[in-house]
Amino acid sequence: MRKVSNAIQDVKNAILSLVPPEAEVTRIDFEGPKIAVYSRRPHVFLANREELIKKLVKTIKKRVVVRGDPEARLKEREAEEKIRDIVPEEANITLIYFNETTGEVEIEAEKPGYVIGRDGVTLRRILAETLWYPKVLRKPPIASRTIYEVRELFRSRSDERLRFLRVVGHRIYRRQLIANEYVRIIALGGFQEVGRSAILIETPESRVLLDAGVKPSLGREEYPYFDLPELDPDTLDAIVITHAHLDHCGSLPYLFKYGFKVPVYMTEPTLYLMKLLQEDYLKIAERDGRQLPYSHRDVAEAVLHSYTLKYGEVTDIAPDIRLTLYRSGHILGAALAHIHIGQGLVNIVYTSDFKFARTGILDPANYQFPRVEVLIMETTYGGHQDYLPGRGEAERILIEIVRKTFERGGIVLIPVLAVGRAQDVLLVLNEAMERGLLPSAPIYIEGMIDEVTAIHTAFPEYLTPSLRERIYRGENPFTSPNINILRQAGEERGEIVRIRPSIIMSTSGMLTGGPVMDYLKLLAEDEKSSLVFVSYQIEGTLGRKILQGLRRLAFVDARGKVEMRELKMEVHRVEGFSGHSDRRQLEFYLRKITPKPKRIILVHGERSKIKSFKRQAERISGAEVLTPQNLEAIRVV
Ligand code: ZN
């Protein structure tokens, strides 16, 4: 990384002049975009509702975190004893996790209120007596292996991570050397196509990459145009990952393989889901005997360089660039990225994939911003025929298909992406059985969906209020006696397709690999069964080809042997469950977004749909609407 300046010095002087000596500050340093103040008496900062921290933030205009001095912190075992001593028994502490990098201690409990205490009195006592900064979490109904693995990774490499975060801070707050005389948006992937999303934002001083996806297909995946000279490991400041789908994050580890050691910003659920999906992608490629584009080690590197943000947190990510993530309504943790450049020079909103309506599990996308001049917007369902049935209608259609298939004694096979529709559709089908709209029958789920569900229950604050409440009550809304989770069914799949009627939900969602392929092979020639697509099928995938009429299917096993099957199942498409906005919702978003953008750039859509939506977007917004191709650059300042 270039240009590491001594930017911390000015900040240090400002902080030391404000902090009273009794706080015993021992060190001030960067921790990524935040300023960490290390102290022997950190609880002093929390007095009077954190008045001192507020004063510091106001003066230095940067986010400040207080850390107990690492030398003075209690040893982990002593600290744990002390915490169990201080916190009343009723809290039912289930886990205490010490984060060496940040000096925080995560305390997971069944009743978090008891850990906090009245007005936070218990928390302050923990900090004063252990010097570990307490973070309180509610115990989720199911434990997630992925969350545990990420924590272990951070723990085992905490020195390295802390050093990296310090370098990142120095780089973010380096003195800006070049005036902002231009801002360019460079199309690296996902323009006039769906898949391999990647957008580079460039100013004379800084460069930020938005998303790093792959384009899934039956053979080899396509990657974004990463070999452009503008994308350079020495000059890239940051990468932003909007959500965990592989067409937005599948090539991130590939960048780490080739030396891009830069900070990656995303929400916390996205971090866990991303790791899970990238590793699953490697596992499937391995099983199918394909060449691996990167290794598990590269996935770990990407995780280790990640820095998570909450929705609405304004964060400096380069000397002249600020990032804020907002809810996008697409999948758990998915975000719209608001990019503020210069002192109000230009504001860009990148919607990535977004849903401007409530789904069964998420609230709709945010549409109010402090400022926005340029809107980069997805158009997956921008075609003139893409006015999809509403949510209620989609549920009714799906239930009807299932009912008819059950009456014939068939099986309903639903290919699902592990994240998003699977949880949504599961809730709908299960509820239909509970309300007697469908006869009770087993629902089999295979392919990471249980782990993804565990991650959902760990982040209730990201879900709709009603789901959140159920999880707070300790319920797991994603389980019921009907639901059978299969971990790597393998040989059993032959048995499962004999149990009738039933519903099988399995990955991958576009029939590009994964256990769903085994089920499809077993069921293909069964006229009584149904194949139901509930999510978007990217061009070139088997799912798309079947929707276009393909009925002779070739199945290739790991040894390369090919077997043909005639597809005799009923094929259905139920689109109202999509996590994308349909044409009506895209139009509505342009009407609602405030303030009004002057320029709109359409991305993430097939050529014909983008063309069709361009005219409509111009009519509705009165803005200049642009539809660049990959490799084009647009100057917005
Ligand atoms: Zn997506």
Side-chain angles (χ1 to χ4, degrees):
M1 286 196 183
R2 58 168 192 186
K3 286 188 277 182
V4 171
S5 72
N6 207 7
I8 191 73
Q9 205 50 50
D10 306 345
V11 175
K12 267 186 191 167
N13 296 340
I15 291 179
L16 288 174
S17 69
L18 290 170
V19 175
E22 68 265 25
E24 296 187 41
V25 170
T26 53
R27 179 186 177 121
I28 296 168
D29 214 330
F30 291 116
E31 189 182 295
K34 294 179 190 161
I35 308 294
V37 179
Y38 295 86
S39 148
R40 278 207 198 89
R41 303 188 68 226
H43 55 284
V44 170
F45 288 86
L46 301 195
N48 301 326
R49 299 183 182 272
E50 309 191 355
E51 192 191 347
L52 183 52
I53 297 184
K54 283 175 195 150
K55 207 158 93 185
L56 294 180
V57 171
K58 216 170 145 197
T59 312
I60 64 171
K61 305 224 163 21
K62 293 177 180 54
R63 305 251 313 283
V64 171
V65 285
V66 175
R67 306 294 185 210
D69 178 76
E71 307 287 311
R73 272 180 218 152
L74 283 192
K75 295 273 166 293
E76 288 186 17
R77 198 186 315 153
E78 286 172 64
E80 176 157 354
E81 271 173 31
K82 183 71 90 185
I83 290 166
R84 290 192 186 273
D85 237 29
I86 296 172
V87 176
E89 196 97 13
E90 296 93 311
N92 249 336
I93 294 179
T94 45
L95 184 86
I96 297 182
Y97 165 74
F98 293 92
N99 185 333
E100 281 280 350
T101 315
T102 60
E104 288 169 321
V105 54
E106 291 181 7
I107 306 171
E108 190 187 277
E110 275 170 17
K111 298 210 171 100
Y114 286 100
V115 188
I116 297 167
R118 190 182 292 263
D119 282 334
V121 61
T122 314
L123 288 186
R124 283 197 295 278
R125 223 184 119 195
I126 293 171
L127 180 62
E129 295 185 26
T130 68
L131 270 74
W132 287 89
Y133 206 103
K135 248 173 89 179
V136 186
L137 305 172
R138 184 183 307 268
K139 181 189 182 297
I142 346 173
S144 151
R145 185 180 41 80
T146 311
I147 295 178
Y148 173 79
E149 284 171 1
V150 170
R151 282 175 170 176
E152 281 307 299
L153 182 68
F154 284 169
R155 181 204 287 266
S156 66
R157 295 174 70 179
S158 84
D159 287 351
E160 186 186 337
R161 187 165 153 84
L162 191 57
R163 268 199 308 278
F164 167 70
L165 290 176
R166 286 191 179 141
V167 174
V168 168
H170 279 280
R171 219 168 121 60
I172 292 172
Y173 296 109
R174 68 185 183 253
R175 289 200 178 86
Q176 190 178 337
L177 297 176
I178 318 164
N180 275 326
E181 52 178 36
Y182 64 81
V183 175
R184 294 169 78 211
I185 295 175
I186 304 167
L188 300 187
F191 288 71
Q192 296 202 10
E193 65 178 344
V194 177
R196 59 166 167 176
S197 290
I199 304 169
L200 188 65
I201 310 272
E202 182 194 38
T203 76
E205 178 69 42
S206 318
R207 279 154 196 192
V208 172
L209 178 66
L210 304 176
D211 282 340
V214 293
K215 187 169 181 175
S217 74
L218 265 180
R220 256 180 92 82
E221 285 79 10
E222 286 175 82
Y223 278 63
Y225 291 91
F226 284 147
D227 35 19
L228 284 203
E230 285 92 339
L231 188 73
D232 177 338
D234 291 330
T235 59
L236 189 67
D237 287 277
I239 301 174
V240 179
I241 296 294
T242 57
H243 67 283
H245 281 152
L246 290 176
D247 58 330
H248 294 260
C249 72
S251 59
L252 181 67
Y254 180 81
L255 289 174
F256 278 85
K257 179 179 171 179
Y258 287 102
F260 283 80
K261 305 282 184 208
V262 296
V264 188
Y265 298 93
M266 63 188 83
T267 66
E268 200 179 355
T270 297
L271 172 61
Y272 302 127
L273 294 172
M274 178 186 84
K275 174 179 183 287
L276 181 67
L277 286 158
Q278 288 166 348
E279 283 180 343
D280 185 67
Y281 167 63
L282 289 181
K283 225 162 47 196
I284 291 173
E286 261 168 281
R287 206 192 54 190
D288 296 351
R290 273 183 283 157
Q291 204 190 346
L292 302 185
Y294 45 79
S295 67
H296 289 277
R297 216 179 46 217
D298 301 317
V299 173
E301 280 300 310
V303 169
L304 207 60
H305 289 77
S306 295
Y307 192 92
T308 61
L309 302 175
K310 294 197 170 72
Y311 291 143
E313 232 178 85
V314 183
T315 304
D316 292 281
I317 57 169
D320 54 348
I321 300 183
R322 277 193 178 144
L323 166 71
T324 316
L325 300 178
Y326 291 93
R327 188 178 65 216
S328 81
H330 176 57
I331 60 169
L332 182 74
L336 318 169
H338 181 275
I339 307 280
H340 171 94
I341 299 176
Q343 303 297 327
L345 185 65
V346 68
N347 294 267
I348 301 168
V349 167
Y350 169 42
T351 66
S352 185
D353 297 354
F354 77 108
K355 178 79 170 176
F356 200 39
R358 187 186 302 271
T359 62
I361 55 172
L362 300 172
D363 285 339
N366 179 71
Y367 62 93
Q368 288 169 305
F369 303 94
R371 281 183 53 186
V372 48
E373 288 83 33
V374 181
L375 174 69
I376 307 175
M377 180 175 173
E378 71 132 318
T379 32
T380 315
Y381 288 105
H384 61 276
Q385 292 172 326
D386 290 336
Y387 296 98
L388 304 180
R391 170 95 198 168
E393 178 71 0
E395 288 183 13
R396 204 189 52 73
I397 294 170
L398 177 66
I399 290 168
E400 193 55 20
I401 293 168
V402 174
R403 201 181 53 77
K404 285 193 176 145
T405 311
F406 279 9
E407 280 171 9
R408 295 195 299 268
I411 289 176
V412 180
L413 178 61
I414 310 178
V416 280
L417 298 167
V419 190
R421 280 350 87 206
Q423 288 70 29
D424 205 353
V425 171
L426 187 62
L427 289 180
V428 169
L429 292 173
N430 190 44
E431 209 188 284
M433 287 181 191
E434 280 172 1
R435 287 170 48 205
L437 298 173
L438 281 176
S440 273
I443 305 175
Y444 295 100
I445 297 171
E446 191 179 351
M448 287 191 306
I449 299 168
D450 58 327
E451 176 58 15
V452 168
T453 303
I455 298 173
H456 275 73
T457 63
F459 293 95
E461 65 279 19
Y462 284 80
L463 303 172
T464 56
S466 71
L467 274 187
R468 192 184 312 153
E469 285 311 312
R470 290 178 65 183
I471 293 171
Y472 282 166
R473 285 200 301 268
E475 278 177 51
N476 174 3
F478 303 100
T479 60
S480 91
N482 293 321
I483 298 171
N484 302 273
I485 290 166
L486 309 167
R487 294 184 178 81
Q488 307 244 320
E491 298 293 304
E492 289 168 47
R493 286 173 200 142
E495 302 294 315
I496 288 163
V497 297
R498 272 197 273 274
I499 300 164
R500 289 158 186 256
S502 80
I503 298 168
I504 301 172
M505 294 168 64
S506 178
T507 57
S508 70
M510 302 183 201
L511 301 179
T512 52
V516 73
M517 299 306 287
D518 283 356
Y519 290 112
L520 183 61
K521 190 172 157 189
L522 288 161
L523 292 169
E525 302 194 324
D526 175 15
E527 289 163 4
K528 291 183 183 147
S529 293
S530 305
L531 175 63
V532 184
F533 294 98
V534 290
S535 55
Y536 186 77
Q537 303 295 307
I538 290 181
E539 246 175 355
T541 60
L542 179 59
R544 177 67 165 256
K545 287 184 178 149
I546 289 175
L547 285 178
Q548 286 165 339
L550 179 77
R551 290 297 177 267
R552 287 279 294 163
L553 309 182
F555 294 88
V556 188
D557 69 15
R559 288 181 301 275
K561 206 173 117 230
V562 181
E563 279 183 64
M564 299 304 292
R565 290 280 188 284
E566 197 70 39
L567 181 64
K568 293 183 185 154
M569 303 168 82
E570 272 190 14
V571 177
H572 296 274
R573 167 181 8 200
V574 185
E575 302 231 68
F577 287 106
S578 175
H580 295 276
S581 300
D582 74 343
R583 168 116 165 187
R584 187 179 297 107
Q585 289 153 0
L586 292 173
E587 292 170 357
F588 192 44
Y589 196 75
L590 289 179
R591 292 200 173 92
K592 289 288 279 188
I593 186 173
T594 43
K596 296 281 165 250
K598 296 188 191 71
R599 267 184 184 173
I600 298 168
I601 299 171
L602 299 180
V603 300
H604 202 284
E606 286 158 19
R607 200 172 294 233
S608 61
K609 300 202 175 194
I610 285 194
K611 210 171 136 197
S612 153
F613 193 68
K614 180 181 194 283
R615 285 189 294 271
Q616 187 71 336
E618 283 165 344
R619 211 170 305 144
I620 292 171
S621 66
E624 180 188 9
V625 181
L626 302 163
T627 60
Q629 307 179 54
N630 286 330
L631 296 175
E632 286 191 84
I634 293 169
R635 183 173 172 179
V636 291
V637 170

